[in-house]
């Protein structure tokens, strides 16, 4: 069982991303993320105490904003195709910084590497040629969620533990 915090896109946005992924996969092969599992991870906690994570998250005061999905990219080191913003939106950086600081105060040990806002769409993909242009997408960030992930031979199932609305 693993816990993580994430942003979830509206269903329409997820479908558009899934369609784009399908197009990419004709070139690269690989395993696409199911539409309802498309997300952007804010913090990965691994196996931890959900109550402590909830305490940290409830202290975050963030502003609502839009997440621009402007670029697609391939990471050779883990063979994933992902999309994300060109630059980290300031309100999102503020949320991530507060969340990470709060989680550390609650005793979580987070990864040392700098946070990279990415939405994984294809795993085990071959390097793509040119990626097709991304569709126009709306991804309003009104809340973030604490998610419990259970892995089985069939893949991961996600269960939302709590939603944290942004009020600013
Ligand atoms: P990924 O998409 O780049 O694999 C649930 O596993 C989410 O947590 C995924 O979005 C995953 O990112 C992210 N994550 C970050 N660090 C992870 C780790 N060490 N193990 C598994 N997932 C991790």
């Amino acid at each position: 069982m693993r816990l993580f915090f994430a942003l979830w896109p509206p269903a329409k946005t997820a479908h558009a991303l899934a369609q784009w992924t399908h197009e990419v996969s004709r070139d690269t092969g690989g395993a696409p993320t199911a539409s309802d599992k498309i997300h952007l991870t804010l913090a990965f906690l691994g196996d931890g105490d959900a109550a402590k994570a909830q305490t940290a998250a409830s202290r975050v005061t963030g502003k609502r904003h839009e997440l621009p999905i402007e670029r697609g990219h391939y990471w050779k080191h883990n063979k994933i195709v992902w999309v994300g913003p060109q630059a980290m939106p300031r309100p999102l950086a503020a949320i991530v910084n507060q969340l990470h600081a709060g989680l550390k105060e609650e005793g979580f040990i987070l990864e040392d590497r700098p946070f990279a806002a990415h939405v994984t769409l294809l795993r085990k993909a071959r390097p793509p040629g040119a990626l097709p242009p991304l569709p126009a997408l709306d991804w309003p960030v009104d809340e973030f969620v604490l998610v419990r992930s259970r892995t089985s031979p069939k893949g991961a199932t996600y269960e939302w533990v709590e939603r944290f609305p942004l009020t600013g």
Side-chain angles (χ1 to χ4, degrees):
M1 195 194 78
R2 296 150 146 191
L3 292 167
F4 64 99
F5 284 99
L7 303 179
W8 234 266
K12 194 177 155 201
T13 305
H15 280 125
L17 285 170
Q19 247 173 0
W20 182 84
T21 306
H22 182 71
E23 210 179 310
V24 174
S25 71
R26 283 195 215 125
D27 174 25
T28 62
T33 306
S35 187
D36 61 344
K37 289 190 177 153
I38 291 175
H39 65 271
L40 184 147
T41 298
L42 300 178
F44 181 76
L45 308 179
D47 190 7
D49 182 347
K52 285 189 176 171
Q54 284 163 291
T55 302
S58 61
R59 288 200 295 256
V60 172
T61 53
K63 283 205 177 84
R64 291 192 192 127
H65 60 281
E66 270 290 320
L67 177 71
I69 299 293
E70 300 157 321
R71 66 171 183 148
H73 201 79
Y74 177 73
W75 275 338
K76 276 190 206 140
H77 70 279
N78 55 3
K79 299 191 174 69
I80 69 166
V81 174
W82 60 273
V83 294
Q86 203 71 257
M88 183 76 169
R90 271 171 192 264
L92 184 57
I95 290 164
V96 169
N97 288 340
Q98 281 185 53
L99 182 61
H100 286 196
L103 289 166
K104 283 177 191 166
E105 274 173 35
E106 290 298 321
F108 287 98
I109 296 161
L110 303 179
E111 283 173 346
D112 255 350
R113 18 172 218 196
F115 176 74
H118 71 281
V119 180
T120 301
L121 293 177
L122 267 176
R123 295 180 194 279
K124 299 178 193 153
R126 293 185 296 271
L131 287 168
L134 280 160
L137 299 162
D138 286 321
W139 187 327
V141 180
D142 303 332
E143 62 177 8
F144 63 96
V145 285
L146 175 62
V147 184
R148 189 175 279 130
S149 158
R150 289 197 170 87
T151 42
S152 77
K154 283 190 193 162
T157 53
Y158 295 153
E159 176 199 331
W160 287 19
V161 179
E162 189 175 343
R163 300 156 73 147
F164 298 89
L166 300 167
T167 48

